[in-house]
């Protein structure tokens, strides 16, 4: 019997443990993780491959994190089944743990499309530490790589491989890379930088088939693209994205859509059962609805909200939105919310583009409220914009100054500052 | 715990806060060397915000519920339980800019190296932070605040 049982010990699990301990110093906490060393930063796996970070640096919490928080960490263990009526979780060795409050924080798993030959040696996914370790080992001998997917994961692994001296071909189905978070202008800026680093970018294409080496058919020797072109390579990395790991709740009363449906308190449809992180569909305050947003900072915050509520302190999730900060290829970018609206006429769009300085700033508004932004290179005011966005501030009178280099907190009228920055400037 | 409070009605916009912050966070702690010899020039962690006639200095507020700590991908940003300070571990920082994205004050900057971020540490080795001690008009005050 454990008062709190948490399945999954990445961002959401860590956030939940920290929040529970803020409220309840004594209630027993058990965390189940199928990984050996759970408290590492998933977004840093590309740094492990590139050599920028070692294993120690990847630890996003101290070594004794679980002990310090008096949480029993069952690492290398898998939760295989749930009985929500009797309130227990069954584990892989036939044992089970009873709980009072349960958090499902199982995260996501890589989406792997059906590609002929994808069982060959040298095809990798890129989500966990063990993925990164296998990849890092292969990189020692590999010369050429094909990365399938030009999203965040694809760009991050591409950068790591380039740093390790590999020739990389990035294959993206859409017309531009990072198309979920950037518009065409910003995407082209990134494409230029990546191409200049020696990467071939193949857009509008995907990998149809993975072929073997002439001397060993079970080892990756090349990738055939949908246009028939064959790219010779020693490894193929599937980096399209993640899908929720909802298997644990299948067959239970926990309602799912693509992910587990939760309310603003991270409660599922079953009482005393919560969900957070990449497995959950939580609230997006820009779209005003729940959806999958598999992002580390949101997972941690959702985990915290779940933890507080599980421990009896009411906490409402303010909501997140699509939000990414990019460091790759030394072109800093921050992109938040609606950045590339399909029906542009329904929005007001402010743009500043100075190609000679590689500067691009774009703010998207609806009814004078910021609903999205993209900043390339000049990123330091992103948080101020995000704050205005989260608070739904009407920026009508500031609009002409938002993209100015001089925009700062002092640009905001004092009355507004007092309102949206409570506690300051007493 | 003590925090820096800006009194915008007293701020003249002179920018000495930035100068002394730069010096304090330089290797040499010498104004001439810090500005002319250290390359890249050390960064001021306090920013003079000017929109005439308004001006005030802003630096990390060491928020109670700090968004940068929750968002940090690497664990470099931490909330010190005893002092309440938001601390930044440069060795752990990977320069992912996520903290910049979520700081409501825009108080976190990219370090001149372009590899990590930099922010106010409240000059923890000094009695009074350099920006406060050297403000000529009392526009920055270091005082006890309620958590």
């Amino acid at each position: 019997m454990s008062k709190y049982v948490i399945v999954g010990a990445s961002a959401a699990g860590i956030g939940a443990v920290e929040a529970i301990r803020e409220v309840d110093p004594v209630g027993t906490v058990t965390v189940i993780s199928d990984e050996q060393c759970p408290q590492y930063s998933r977004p840093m796996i590309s740094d492990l491959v590139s050599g920028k970070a070692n294993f120690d640096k990847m630890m996003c919490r101290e070594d004794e994190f679980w002990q310090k928080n008096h949480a029993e960490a069952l690492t290398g263990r898998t939760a295989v089944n749930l009985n929500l009526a009797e309130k227990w979780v069954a584990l892989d060795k036939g044992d089970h743990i009873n709980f009072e409050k349960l958090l499902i924080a199982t995260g996501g798993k890589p989406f792997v499309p059906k590609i002929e030959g994808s069982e060959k040696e040298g095809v990798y996914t890129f989500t966990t530490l063990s993925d990164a370790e296998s990849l890092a080992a292969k990189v020692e001998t590999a010369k050429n790589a094909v990365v399938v997917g030009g999203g965040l994961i694809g760009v991050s692994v591409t950068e790591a491989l380039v740093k390790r001296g590999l020739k990389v071909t990035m294959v993206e189905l859409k017309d531009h890379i990072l198309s979920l978070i950037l518009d065409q202008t910003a995407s082209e800026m990134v494409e230029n930088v990546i191409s200049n680093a020696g990467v071939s970018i193949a857009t509008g294409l995907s990998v149809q088939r993975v072929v073997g080496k002439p001397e060993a058919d079970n080892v990756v020797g090349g990738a055939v693209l949908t246009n028939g072109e064959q790219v010779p390579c020693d490894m193929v990395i599937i980096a399209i994205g993640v899908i929720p790991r909802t298997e644990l709740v299948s067959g239970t009363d926990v309602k799912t859509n693509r992910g587990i449906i939760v309310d603003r308190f991270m409660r599922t449809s079953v009482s005393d059962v919560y969900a957070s992180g990449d497995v959950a569909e939580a609230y997006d305050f820009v779209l005003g609805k729940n959806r999958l947003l598999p992002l580390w900072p949101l997972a941690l915050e959702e985990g915290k909200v779940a933890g507080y509520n599980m421990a009896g302190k009411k906490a409402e999730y303010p909501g997140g939105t699509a939000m990414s900060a990019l460091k790759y290829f030394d072109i800093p970018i921050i992109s938040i919310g609606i950045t590339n609206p399909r029906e542009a006429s329904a929005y007001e769009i402010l743009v500043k583009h100075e190609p000679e300085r590689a500067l691009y700033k774009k703010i998207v508004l609806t009814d004078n409220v910021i609903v999205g932004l993209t900043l390339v290179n000049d990123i330091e005011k992103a948080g101020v914009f995000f704050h205005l966005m989260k608070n739904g501030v009407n920026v009508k009178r500031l609009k002409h100054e938002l993209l100015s280099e001089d925009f700062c907190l002092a640009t905001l009228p004092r009355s507004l500052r007092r309102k949206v920055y409570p506690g300051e400037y007493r | 715990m003590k925090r820096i409070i800006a009194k915008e009605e007293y701020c003249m916009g002179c920018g000495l806060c930035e100068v002394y912050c730069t010096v304090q966070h330089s290797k040499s702690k010498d104004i001439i060397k810090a500005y002319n010899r250290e390359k890249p020039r050390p960064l001021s962690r306090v920013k003079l915000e000017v929109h005439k006639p308004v001006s005030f200095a802003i630096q990390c507020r060491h928020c109670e519920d700090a968004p940068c700590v929750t968002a940090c991908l690497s664990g470099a940003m931490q909330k010190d339980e005893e002092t309440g300070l938001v601390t930044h571990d440069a060795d752990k920082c990977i320069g992912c800019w996520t903290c910049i994205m979520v700081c409501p004050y825009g108080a976190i900057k990219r370090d001149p190296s372009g590899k990590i971020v930099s922010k106010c540490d409240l000059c923890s080795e000094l009695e009074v932070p350099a920006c406060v001690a050297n403000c000529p008009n009392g526009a920055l005050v270091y005082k006890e605040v309620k958590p």
Side-chain angles (χ1 to χ4, degrees):
Chain A
M1 173 74 199
S2 182
K3 185 168 182 190
Y4 308 98
V5 171
I6 299 170
V7 186
S10 192
I14 289 170
V17 168
E18 288 177 336
I20 288 170
R21 281 296 172 244
E22 267 183 49
V23 181
D24 177 357
V26 293
T28 46
V29 175
T30 303
V31 182
I32 303 161
S33 172
D34 54 11
E35 293 190 78
Q36 290 300 339
C37 179
Q39 74 274 30
Y40 72 92
S41 172
R42 283 254 174 102
M44 283 179 71
I45 59 173
S46 63
D47 292 318
L48 186 78
V49 175
S50 72
K52 196 175 156 188
N54 57 17
F55 186 70
D56 285 345
K57 188 167 172 171
M58 285 181 74
M59 293 301 112
C60 61
R61 291 295 184 272
E62 67 266 62
D63 291 345
E64 304 81 25
F65 175 75
W66 310 106
Q67 296 92 311
K68 244 183 95 177
N69 285 289
H70 310 294
E72 188 182 6
L74 303 177
T75 56
R77 300 293 310 277
T78 308
V80 292
N81 207 353
L82 294 180
N83 186 323
L84 298 180
E86 293 172 16
K87 294 180 110 175
W88 49 258
V89 181
L91 288 146
D92 47 357
K93 288 179 187 161
D95 45 343
H96 67 267
I97 307 170
N98 290 76
F99 62 81
E100 280 177 38
K101 307 274 179 188
L102 173 69
L103 175 64
I104 317 271
T106 43
K109 60 184 176 191
F111 173 68
V112 182
K114 283 205 177 77
I115 299 174
E116 191 189 325
S118 62
E119 74 292 342
K120 291 186 196 302
E121 192 186 315
V123 178
Y124 299 88
T125 54
F126 199 60
T127 306
T128 62
L129 181 61
S130 71
D131 290 339
E133 285 173 332
S134 327
L135 205 100
K138 178 76 176 175
V139 163
E140 300 286 336
T141 54
K143 300 252 181 322
N144 300 288
V146 167
V147 172
V148 186
L152 273 172
I153 309 174
V155 170
S156 77
V157 71
T158 296
E159 188 201 45
L161 296 171
V162 168
K163 282 190 173 162
R164 295 294 300 271
L166 273 78
K167 173 80 183 83
V168 183
T169 302
M170 190 192 271
V171 185
E172 165 58 47
L173 191 59
K174 298 273 174 60
D175 292 337
H176 286 283
I177 65 164
L178 298 166
S179 61
L180 279 180
I181 57 171
L182 299 180
D183 66 5
Q184 187 175 333
T185 308
S187 174
E188 281 171 0
M189 292 172 87
V190 186
E191 285 171 359
N192 278 336
V193 175
I194 296 180
S195 301
N196 289 341
V199 174
S200 307
I201 302 174
T203 53
L205 295 169
S206 63
V207 170
Q208 193 180 55
R209 177 157 72 86
V210 178
V211 295
K213 286 195 193 305
E215 66 276 17
D217 187 55
N218 64 331
V219 179
V220 171
V224 179
L225 309 187
T226 39
N227 65 355
E229 187 193 343
Q230 179 165 340
V231 184
C233 61
D234 316 296
M235 56 201 299
V236 172
I237 298 103
I238 312 279
I240 298 174
V242 292
I243 49 175
R245 284 175 76 187
T246 52
E247 294 85 350
L248 191 59
V249 299
S250 69
T252 70
D253 290 339
V254 173
K255 284 208 179 91
T256 58
N257 184 25
R258 289 171 66 200
I260 297 174
I261 298 168
V262 291
D263 65 10
R264 298 283 288 272
F265 305 94
M266 296 297 144
R267 296 180 295 207
T268 69
S269 55
V270 174
S271 65
D272 296 331
V273 180
Y274 298 72
S276 294
D278 293 7
V279 75
E281 288 187 17
Y283 186 66
D284 179 325
F285 74 88
V286 174
L287 303 187
K289 60 177 190 187
N290 286 32
R291 66 154 164 162
L292 293 174
L293 283 168
L295 300 165
W296 179 274
L298 298 182
L300 208 123
E301 193 174 351
E302 290 166 28
K304 273 173 73 174
V305 170
Y308 286 134
N309 288 306
M310 289 162 77
K313 178 182 166 183
K314 192 135 194 167
E316 186 173 3
Y317 180 53
T321 191
M323 46 193 277
S324 299
L326 284 74
K327 61 171 178 160
Y328 306 107
F329 294 94
D330 295 326
I331 178 165
I333 297 177
I334 286 176
S335 161
I336 308 176
I338 299 168
T339 57
N340 194 20
R342 225 175 276 163
E343 290 165 52
S345 58
Y347 298 87
E348 185 178 359
I349 298 176
L350 311 174
V351 171
K352 184 176 194 174
H353 186 197
E354 295 176 14
E356 65 286 353
R357 292 167 60 205
L359 183 99
Y360 183 60
K361 298 202 260 187
K362 173 178 179 177
I363 292 183
V364 180
L365 306 121
T366 321
D367 298 332
N368 297 310
V369 173
I370 302 175
V371 294
L373 61 98
T374 301
L375 303 175
V376 181
N377 275 317
D378 184 5
I379 61 169
E380 285 176 3
K381 297 293 177 221
V384 177
F385 295 133
F386 185 44
H387 191 64
L388 296 175
M389 200 171 151
K390 278 203 293 194
N391 286 278
V393 172
N394 186 317
V395 294
K396 191 174 178 193
R397 281 157 57 199
L398 304 166
K399 248 187 283 184
H400 61 290
E401 298 188 88
L402 289 176
L403 295 182
S404 148
E405 308 226 328
D406 301 327
F407 174 81
C408 62
L409 281 182
T411 313
L412 310 182
R414 191 170 183 173
S415 55
L416 176 62
R417 269 186 276 131
R418 280 177 179 274
K419 204 168 113 196
V420 295
Y421 292 97
E424 285 296 319
Y425 312 106
R426 281 160 282 226
Chain B
M1 37 191 185
K2 283 183 158 180
R3 294 290 180 267
I4 300 172
I5 307 296
K7 301 269 180 195
E8 64 182 271
E9 59 276 29
Y10 297 130
C11 178
M12 307 178 293
C14 68
L16 281 174
C17 48
E18 292 189 356
V19 172
Y20 282 93
C21 181
T22 300
V23 174
Q24 181 60 31
H25 293 95
S26 67
K27 286 195 189 78
S28 60
K29 311 268 191 259
D30 176 281
I31 189 166
I32 303 294
K33 286 180 186 157
Y35 271 76
N36 289 340
R37 305 224 183 109
E38 290 188 28
K39 300 251 166 17
R41 182 190 292 173
L43 189 72
S44 170
R45 287 110 186 265
V46 56
K47 173 83 173 44
L48 181 69
E49 305 271 83
V50 186
H51 188 263
K52 283 180 180 162
V54 178
S55 67
F56 53 86
I58 188 104
Q59 60 290 89
C60 170
R61 312 315 296 153
H62 299 275
C63 301
E64 193 48 35
D65 191 9
C68 59
V69 173
T70 301
C72 180
L73 300 188
S74 70
M77 287 285 185
Q78 295 277 344
K79 183 87 181 161
D80 189 298
E81 281 170 26
E82 276 168 36
T83 61
L85 292 191
V86 173
T87 59
H88 174 248
D89 181 344
D91 291 333
K92 281 206 77 76
C93 182
I94 54 166
C96 67
W97 323 132
T98 306
C99 53
I100 292 179
M101 174 165 70
V102 299
C103 174
Y105 298 92
I108 306 173
K109 295 164 187 301
R110 289 197 295 143
D111 183 83
S113 71
K115 305 289 180 203
I116 55 170
V117 299
S118 174
K119 69 163 201 73
C120 168
D121 55 2
L122 275 188
C123 290
S124 35
E125 70 275 30
L126 301 179
E127 192 86 2
V128 177
C131 57
V132 177
N134 293 286
C135 176
N137 207 34
L140 286 170
V141 186
Y142 191 49
K143 67 170 192 185
E144 206 64 43
V145 294
K146 280 187 211 132

